[in-house]
Amino acid sequence: MSIEECKEIAARAALAEVLNEMVLGLGTGSTVERFAELLSSEIKKGLRIKVVPTSYHSIQMALKYGFEVLPIETVDKVDLVVDGADEVDRKLNMIKGRGAALAREKVVAYMALRRVYIVSYDKVVDKLCSTKPVPIEVLPFAYNYVMKKLRELGGEPELREAGRFKDGPLITDNGNFIIDVHFKPLDDPHELESKIKRIPGVVEVGLFCGIADVVYVGRPDGLEVLTNS
Ligand code: 5RP
């Protein structure tokens, strides 16, 4: 079974949590795209929901599938957030931010009454930072200082480049830079998250600790459900 099919298994499990009239935080990324596609079929059958997007990518999905959108600025609560992740440990700590949407994703997660994450099996690790760096959104003018402080915390920071269509750094939906930081596999992601958050110039950290209520993991042999109980 392909990774794409595993993403669909996780997305279907999240779909079962969506109830009529819910306000839904819509995450970012390819797994959420699968979820959005499935959701659009339910809407065609009569399900009524509104979505709060977590990025311009998420707005594009909402427009593509004809979802009613509530701008993030206009809400302080959502019933359910459904989002992807880059790494998940078995205590439900996560790394997010490959899509550079971590700041809005975290704000919407904190607004949510229930937080559901959907991943394929390759995202599950024993310790965070085993395979991925931690993305950090920073104020552009502070990036050199923040990189120095991240090195003092034992990290190897790298400013994320925009790539093919723009020279220089990637600019987030909020007009900031992203620093990807490689750390040795983490024993205490909570502690690292707090330390990074205290560096002036840091907007948000892609460590999501103690946030998820459930992570649905799509595996070739079916669904695995990780909960925080
Ligand atoms: C974006 C994210 C995504 O949710 C995360 O990167 C997962 O994406 P995908 O489902 O494409 O693997 O955090 O900032």
Side-chain angles (χ1 to χ4, degrees):
M1 187 181 280
S2 70
I3 290 286
E4 290 310 309
E5 288 168 308
C6 292
K7 288 179 188 178
E8 174 151 349
I9 289 173
R12 277 196 191 281
L15 187 69
E17 299 224 11
V18 180
L19 303 177
N20 213 21
E21 305 292 350
M22 269 187 167
V23 172
L24 202 65
L26 186 66
T28 301
S30 58
T31 317
V32 174
E33 176 101 41
R34 292 297 305 127
F35 168 76
E37 208 177 322
L38 297 170
L39 189 62
S40 74
S41 308
E42 294 307 308
I43 288 172
K44 283 186 193 125
K45 291 184 211 158
L47 179 73
R48 287 198 310 274
I49 51 110
K50 292 178 183 156
V51 302
V52 177
T54 55
S55 62
Y56 285 115
H57 175 246
S58 173
I59 291 173
Q60 286 173 315
M61 281 192 275
L63 294 176
K64 176 174 168 189
Y65 294 112
F67 301 155
E68 194 175 330
V69 171
L70 290 176
I72 189 169
E73 294 86 347
T74 65
V75 293
D76 60 10
K77 189 179 86 176
V78 304
D79 296 303
L80 173 72
V81 65
V82 177
D83 203 349
D86 301 313
E87 270 191 355
V88 182
D89 71 18
R90 289 187 175 276
K91 292 180 183 155
L92 275 68
N93 300 309
M94 300 179 293
I95 292 179
K96 287 185 51 53
R98 175 207 52 78
L102 61 121
R104 293 181 194 215
E105 287 172 335
K106 201 179 264 189
V107 171
V108 175
Y110 271 86
M111 285 184 193
L113 300 178
R114 182 163 169 81
R115 298 141 182 170
V116 169
Y117 292 84
I118 50 179
V119 297
S120 46
Y121 65 95
D122 54 311
K123 306 285 185 71
V124 181
V125 294
D126 285 337
K127 289 184 180 184
L128 295 186
C129 287
S130 297
T131 63
K132 305 274 167 56
V134 178
I136 299 171
E137 181 157 348
V138 297
L139 295 169
F141 65 83
Y143 88 92
N144 255 318
Y145 171 73
V146 173
M147 292 198 17
K148 182 177 90 171
K149 299 307 281 181
L150 290 166
R151 280 187 206 101
E152 287 172 16
L153 289 176
E156 285 175 31
E158 215 178 300
L159 187 64
R160 196 182 292 185
E161 293 290 316
R164 236 165 24 112
F165 298 109
K166 173 189 171 289
D167 293 334
L170 173 135
I171 309 291
T172 70
D173 291 353
N174 313 308
N176 296 314
F177 291 174
I178 295 283
I179 298 172
D180 292 305
V181 199
H182 295 269
F183 287 99
K184 293 203 182 86
L186 301 181
D187 290 323
D188 190 345
H190 273 271
E191 191 193 13
L192 184 65
E193 181 184 8
S194 321
K195 281 183 178 166
I196 297 173
K197 272 297 288 241
R198 287 200 293 270
I199 302 172
V202 168
V203 174
E204 197 45 83
V205 187
L207 286 167
F208 283 49
C209 300
I211 288 181
D213 290 305
V214 63
V215 180
Y216 291 124
V217 184
R219 296 189 170 277
D221 55 354
L223 179 71
E224 181 180 10
V225 181
L226 304 179
T227 59
N228 62 6
S229 53

